[in-house]
Amino acid sequence: MVERIGRRPGRVMRAERIARRRAIPPDRHAPPDRRMRRSLPALRAAVALTLLAGGLAACSGGGGGTPTLNWYINPDDGGQAKLAASCTKASGGKYKIKTSVLPNDATQQREQLVRRLAAKDSGLDIMSLDPVFVAEVANAGFLRPFTAAESKQFTDGVFPPAVQSSTWEGKLYAAPFWANTQLLWYRKSAAQKAGVDPSAPDFTWDKMIDAAVRTNTTVAAQGNRYEGYMVWINALISSAGGRIISDAEKGADATIEIDSPAGRQAATIIRKLARSKAASPTLSTDIEEQARSVLNGSRGGFMINWGYIWRAENGDAKAGVINKNIPADLGWARYPKVNANQDSKPPFGGIELGIGGYGKYRDTLAVDAVRCITTPENMKQYMIDTGNPAARAVVYDDPQIKKEFPMAGLIRDSINAASPRPITPYYTDVSGAVQSRWHPPASVDPNSTPRRSETFIRQVLRDQALL
């Protein structure tokens, strides 16, 4: 069962369900409903005891001296730690920022954070959040919302999808830090051999797959049963003019719309690729780096992947991991269209900065620190250090950024046009339900998969089925 954080009457919060599995021995003979409805006070106490026993709970600032702000970060190349040191210095002794690295997997990051937040851990001052989890933790009351004045500072000049993904019920709960999108990366030699121009205004998924089949090259994508596959499905549906759910603010009563012409078009494309010789032999288990390996292989042709690819390819070529000629053969274009006469809606990703709802400095120093981290200057530096795109459009006009990233303008335009995944406090349930019915890619059937997934999403949201 996926654990659900929520405020709906009669529901046990997701975080407490996570914690109970480790902190409270299950009553294996009790009916499932009874096991799910243990008292919340007992669960909260168990979570807190578990955290204390494991040495996880910490107090911001300690027992005196310079206050310490604890920033829990997603793994990167050290860019966030560098910003923490820079903002510590810029504070003039007002505070120091200490970083702690979360697990690699986004789902594990979420689990660790919500377990601690459910325990009202005051040692969690700032956290780097995947955009899809902001609504969930905000809805649970775990994040400190920004005031209207603060919100203006954190959203001026920021890409609309980043602001949208950081907002819940009309309030900004996270400050956009870096944004991300997927591009179509391709080998110029493969496109030339196929006689296609991936940057042409009528370049579609069908044309790309057909070109790869014709030339015995590949179209690499993320088809493993994980969040990257949900990114692909959502981008195809959005590009076809549809969406997976609407009325997300209704939570479990949201309208499910995946069984639509757009959903069926998305399923048709996935099935076509997965069953063609253009597919990676390991498509059903490929994630981002496996897809990059496919592009770099002897049959490499086309690939959808995030903005980090340029820095990664050049770094590997310099280190001798891949042929030095590969970066010179690397081209890029906007995410492929589903319909030639309809603009694509590229995926949206990135990281937003949330302030824990229970920290000692949540209304003062934590806000100052987030303000420092998210300045245009620091976003630029982070983009240069890590290759992760900035959330403010002005950064892309910087000459140094244009030099470091020749595709900076395309990244900017793609983020601006991107379509976020469903913004809902039940996102984990929605994503898990979609993945379960659309995987493996070769099993997808436009005549049945969207319909089956719509039914299953509704059942999961209403606790009528388990993931």
Side-chain angles (χ1 to χ4, degrees):
M1 175 89 183
V2 171
E3 294 77 9
R4 180 179 293 126
I5 295 176
R7 290 175 173 168
R8 288 169 58 86
R11 292 188 184 273
V12 178
M13 294 174 66
R14 271 198 194 109
E16 276 106 358
R17 291 183 186 176
I18 294 172
R20 188 186 63 253
R21 288 207 302 263
R22 296 186 179 182
I24 303 176
D27 178 359
R28 300 187 186 280
H29 301 290
D33 283 351
R34 200 174 109 204
R35 292 204 302 269
M36 288 294 179
R37 287 169 173 75
R38 293 193 177 194
S39 68
L40 294 183
L43 292 171
R44 287 189 180 277
V47 175
L49 288 172
T50 301
L51 295 174
L52 289 169
L56 291 172
C59 293
S60 300
T66 304
T68 298
L69 299 174
N70 297 300
W71 179 15
Y72 285 80
I73 63 174
N74 59 298
D76 62 8
D77 294 331
Q80 289 172 97
K82 185 175 178 180
L83 285 184
S86 177
C87 287
T88 293
K89 183 177 180 180
S91 78
K94 287 171 57 180
Y95 58 78
K96 58 183 177 181
I97 304 174
K98 175 186 175 184
T99 59
S100 297
V101 182
L102 292 164
N104 281 306
D105 181 77
T107 302
Q108 293 176 6
Q109 292 172 21
R110 165 195 170 271
E111 182 174 328
Q112 185 174 124
L113 289 172
V114 297
R115 185 183 294 119
R116 299 189 61 174
L117 290 165
K120 298 186 177 181
D121 184 355
S122 63
L124 211 164
D125 297 296
I126 304 168
M127 66 201 87
S128 294
L129 289 169
D130 190 296
V132 297
F133 300 139
V134 172
E136 182 182 22
V137 288
N139 186 67
F142 291 162
L143 294 180
R144 181 246 192 219
F146 291 110
T147 66
E150 292 164 353
S151 296
K152 189 176 188 307
Q153 300 172 28
F154 292 125
T155 58
D156 275 354
V158 172
F159 294 114
V163 176
Q164 184 182 354
S165 297
S166 301
T167 302
W168 178 245
E169 293 186 336
K171 293 183 180 179
L172 189 76
Y173 278 93
F177 172 36
W178 60 272
N180 210 351
T181 190
Q182 288 194 349
L183 304 181
L184 168 58
W185 302 91
Y186 61 94
R187 301 282 289 271
K188 296 175 186 176
S189 56
Q192 184 177 15
K193 180 181 178 183
V196 296
D197 178 8
S199 63
D202 61 345
F203 193 71
T204 62
W205 277 90
D206 281 331
K207 287 189 176 183
M208 178 170 62
I209 296 169
D210 292 343
V213 169
R214 227 173 27 245
T215 54
N216 194 32
T217 54
T218 53
V219 175
Q222 295 79 51
N224 197 0
R225 185 173 168 177
Y226 81 124
E227 187 56 32
Y229 187 37
M230 177 65 168
V231 168
W232 184 17
I233 296 167
N234 184 73
L236 289 175
I237 293 173
S238 296
S239 294
R243 51 190 174 184
I244 293 175
I245 67 171
S246 62
D247 301 323
E249 68 279 358
K250 294 182 180 178
D253 296 320
T255 303
I256 317 301
E257 298 184 16
I258 196 170
D259 184 20
S260 64
R264 289 185 282 277
Q265 277 193 286
T268 299
I269 289 169
I270 291 174
R271 180 185 179 91
K272 178 176 179 176
L273 174 59
R275 296 193 172 200
S276 76
K277 66 178 184 179
S280 160
T282 55
L283 175 61
S284 65
T285 57
D286 282 351
I287 60 175
E288 285 83 359
E289 280 298 277
Q290 281 73 21
R292 186 162 74 96
S293 295
V294 172
L295 181 72
N296 291 335
S298 59
R299 293 180 57 223
F302 309 86
M303 173 185 68
I304 52 166
N305 217 324
W306 299 99
Y308 81 97
I309 292 299
W310 178 246
R311 181 63 60 83
E313 291 287 87
N314 281 277
D316 282 357
K318 186 176 180 180
V321 176
I322 62 175
N323 190 296
K324 294 185 184 297
N325 295 326
I326 289 180
D329 192 35
L330 187 64
W332 49 85
R334 180 159 163 164
Y335 201 80
K337 294 181 175 182
V338 170
N339 301 306
N341 60 350
Q342 189 172 14
D343 287 342
S344 64
K345 293 287 187 180
F348 175 77
I351 288 294
E352 330 288 11
L353 299 184
I355 294 177
Y358 309 108
K360 180 179 179 181
Y361 304 108
R362 63 186 179 275
D363 295 323
T364 53
L365 299 181
V367 178
D368 288 345
V370 171
R371 188 179 291 115
C372 175
I373 295 166
T374 59
T375 62
E377 295 76 18
N378 280 334
M379 284 189 186
K380 170 192 167 181
Q381 189 60 52
Y382 186 74
M383 186 170 176
I384 291 171
D385 289 342
T386 66
N388 293 322
R392 294 184 190 270
V394 67
V395 175
Y396 296 82
D397 296 326
D398 187 278
Q400 190 177 1
I401 291 294
K402 290 181 178 180
K403 181 179 178 181
E404 288 280 336
F405 303 92
M407 69 298 300
L410 176 62
I411 292 174
R412 177 198 60 216
D413 295 345
S414 294
I415 295 173
N416 206 41
S419 176
R421 282 157 281 170
I423 300 173
T424 167
Y426 299 101
Y427 180 78
T428 304
D429 290 340
V430 172
S431 179
V434 171
Q435 293 173 45
S436 72
R437 292 300 182 263
W438 287 63
H439 195 269
S443 71
V444 171
D445 183 343
N447 295 317
S448 60
T449 301
R451 183 180 69 253
R452 290 175 59 242
S453 59
E454 180 166 311
T455 299
F456 189 52
I457 294 169
R458 187 175 292 110
Q459 289 173 335
V460 169
L461 291 181
R462 295 177 180 176
D463 286 342
Q464 296 169 349
L466 302 180
L467 285 174

